[in-house]
Amino acid sequence: DAKTTQPTSMDCAEGRAANLPCNHSTISGNEYVYWYRQIHSQGPQYIIHGLKNNETNEMASLIITEDRKSSTLILPHATLRDTAVYYCIVRFQGAQKLVFGQGTRLTINP
Amino acid sequence: DTAVSQTPKYLVTQMGNDKSIKCEQNLGHDTMYWYKQDSKKFLKIMFSYNNKELIINETVPNRFSPKSPDKAHLNLHINSLELGDSAVYFCASSHRTYGNTIYFGEGSWLTVV
């Protein structure tokens, strides 16, 4: 699985959009970009994933650049409950595991 | 309804003891996993089972023995516990062919004293 690079930490004001970047310059054509988050003392929570096209669900939007070498997870209206570590993971859809990096610690401030 | 459930949530035990953590999923998935998160917060896969068959074993000491009695259950038994086994253990599951998104349980906090 390709490696990803994320900022160690970010801050965002409550109510604003939180934009979390991820670089995955060695991604291959069949690898998907997955995002998970881990709220303190909880299990990792699936957020969204995509291959080429931008994706949106009830939690977030995923914007993938045309060359697929980077992506951005957008939480449109961040709340205090969105404070968590966010993991960007590149993975073949049929792969049998997720390889977690260090992630980005996102803090939502009141 | 809890999709992936683990018991116990907290476990404190002495070195040398043998303990088990149980996991059950009600998502109809055919693949289950155990992940370990150590004190530095790194999440690493330990085992993966598909249809009760072991498919991933990530160089885990043989004191750790997973057992999958059926597709919905994957238990983790640990023999001769050591201080370094203290960690949070997460169970997870997915469907190998349908999307394969992996869903995690809430974790089992193991402390070895």
Side-chain angles (χ1 to χ4, degrees), chain A residues 48-62:
Chain A
I48 199 167
H49 75 282
L51 181 63
K52 297 180 188 177
N53 300 322
N54 299 336
E55 302 286 345
T56 296
N57 62 21
E58 65 279 3
M59 288 183 68
S61 294
L62 174 59

Side-chain angles (χ1 to χ4, degrees), chain A residues 34 36 38 40-46 49 87 91-102 105, chain B residues 9 31 33 35 37 41-43 45 48 50 55-56 58 90 96 99-106 109:
Chain A
Y34 282 78
Y36 280 74
Q38 189 173 22
H40 181 62
S41 298
Q42 296 184 20
Q45 179 188 23
Y46 166 78
H49 75 282
Y87 297 97
R91 168 183 181 242
F92 292 105
Q93 195 170 38
Q96 290 306 302
K97 62 183 180 181
L98 288 167
V99 179
F100 288 85
Q102 289 189 310
R105 182 171 297 278
Chain B
K9 187 171 176 69
T31 304
Y33 312 79
Y35 278 76
Q37 188 167 38
K41 304 297 184 185
F42 288 114
L43 263 164
I45 190 167
S48 172
N50 177 257
I55 54 175
I56 292 178
E58 290 281 319
F90 290 100
R96 192 170 190 174
N100 206 26
T101 298
I102 298 177
Y103 296 93
F104 288 79
E106 290 302 303
W109 270 252

Side-chain angles (χ1 to χ4, degrees), chain A residues 11 13 27-29 59 61 66 68 72 78-79 85 88 92 94 101 107:
Chain A
D11 285 88
I27 192 170
S28 66
M59 288 183 68
S61 294
E66 196 167 337
R68 301 187 69 239
T72 301
T79 70
V85 178
C88 169
F92 292 105
T107 302

Side-chain angles (χ1 to χ4, degrees), chain A residues 6 10 12 15-22 33-37 47-49 54-65 71-79 82 86-88 106 108:
Chain A
Q6 299 178 250
M10 292 181 64
C12 180
R16 306 298 289 267
N19 297 301
L20 292 94
C22 180
V33 180
Y34 282 78
W35 282 84
Y36 280 74
R37 73 180 182 183
I47 302 173
I48 199 167
H49 75 282
N54 299 336
E55 302 286 345
T56 296
N57 62 21
E58 65 279 3
M59 288 183 68
S61 294
L62 174 59
I63 308 298
I64 302 174
T65 58
S71 60
T72 301
L73 178 75
I74 302 173
L75 308 178
H77 303 287
T79 70
D82 291 321
Y86 286 77
Y87 297 97
C88 169
L106 175 67
I108 306 301

